[in-house]
Amino acid sequence: MCDAERLSGFVEQLNTQYPYIQIVHTAVNHSDEFESYATTKRMLAEFPEITALYLAAAGVEGACRAISDLGYKGSIKVISHDAPPVTLQLLDDGSIAATITQQPFVQGAKPLEILLDYLGMNILPEEECIYTKIEIKIKENMV
């Protein structure tokens, strides 16, 4: 679900802010590295004019491996989501240009903490809305 929402938002922004950028193909990889590898190889063979890939889901390592195996590393810009160790390694070695991150642990743990406080101790949250941090990581700002 969130992958589809990420893609929808990405496409909407491209269409309104960057109408000169053309999306030549979209594909689903089911967050599987092997499927991502095969899909990326097939896509680049069919559309050699591709200069950038946006990966809304997992499968980043497979896509980057396909790009490298085909000799496109450095000439295709890759933008991904999340920051697991493998993605940060790919960012560091130049396979990925940027990754969009959020705080998945906080997003998962904070609602449970709020619920436990409320149900167990009748404590309401201090704020109506609790925001998590969203960052765009590039090689130069990795911490």
Side-chain angles (χ1 to χ4, degrees):
M1 177 75 164
C2 81
D3 303 341
E5 290 175 355
R6 286 174 175 174
L7 180 59
S8 175
F10 180 77
V11 170
E12 182 181 321
Q13 284 301 303
L14 277 185
N15 289 339
T16 58
Q17 301 295 321
Y18 307 96
Y20 53 87
I21 295 177
Q22 179 185 7
I23 297 173
V24 295
H25 188 68
T26 61
V28 175
N29 68 16
H30 302 100
S31 294
D32 179 86
E33 299 298 341
F34 297 106
E35 186 174 349
S36 183
Y37 178 83
T39 300
T40 302
K41 279 188 79 170
R42 216 174 18 259
M43 189 183 323
L44 293 175
E46 187 174 347
F47 303 99
E49 70 274 16
I50 288 176
T51 59
L53 287 180
Y54 169 68
L55 302 165
V60 175
E61 183 179 19
C64 289
R65 193 165 31 88
I67 291 167
S68 181
D69 287 355
L70 292 171
Y72 289 119
K73 184 177 175 182
S75 63
I76 293 180
K77 299 292 183 200
V78 177
I79 299 171
S80 67
H81 280 271
D82 304 323
V86 68
T87 299
L88 294 178
Q89 170 65 42
L90 292 164
L91 186 63
D92 188 51
D93 79 12
S95 297
I96 296 175
T99 191
I100 303 162
T101 68
Q102 65 278 341
Q103 296 176 293
F105 180 80
V106 174
Q107 290 176 4
K110 192 65 173 174
L112 294 175
E113 180 184 317
I114 292 168
L115 185 61
L116 180 62
D117 285 349
Y118 178 70
L119 294 177
M121 297 175 277
N122 204 29
I123 299 171
L124 291 172
E126 292 178 17
E127 303 160 357
E128 184 176 335
C129 295
I130 299 170
Y131 297 97
T132 57
K133 186 167 48 171
I134 297 175
E135 299 176 307
I136 298 174
K137 291 190 178 286
I138 58 175
K139 185 175 184 173
E140 292 77 13
N141 73 1
M142 286 180 37
V143 181

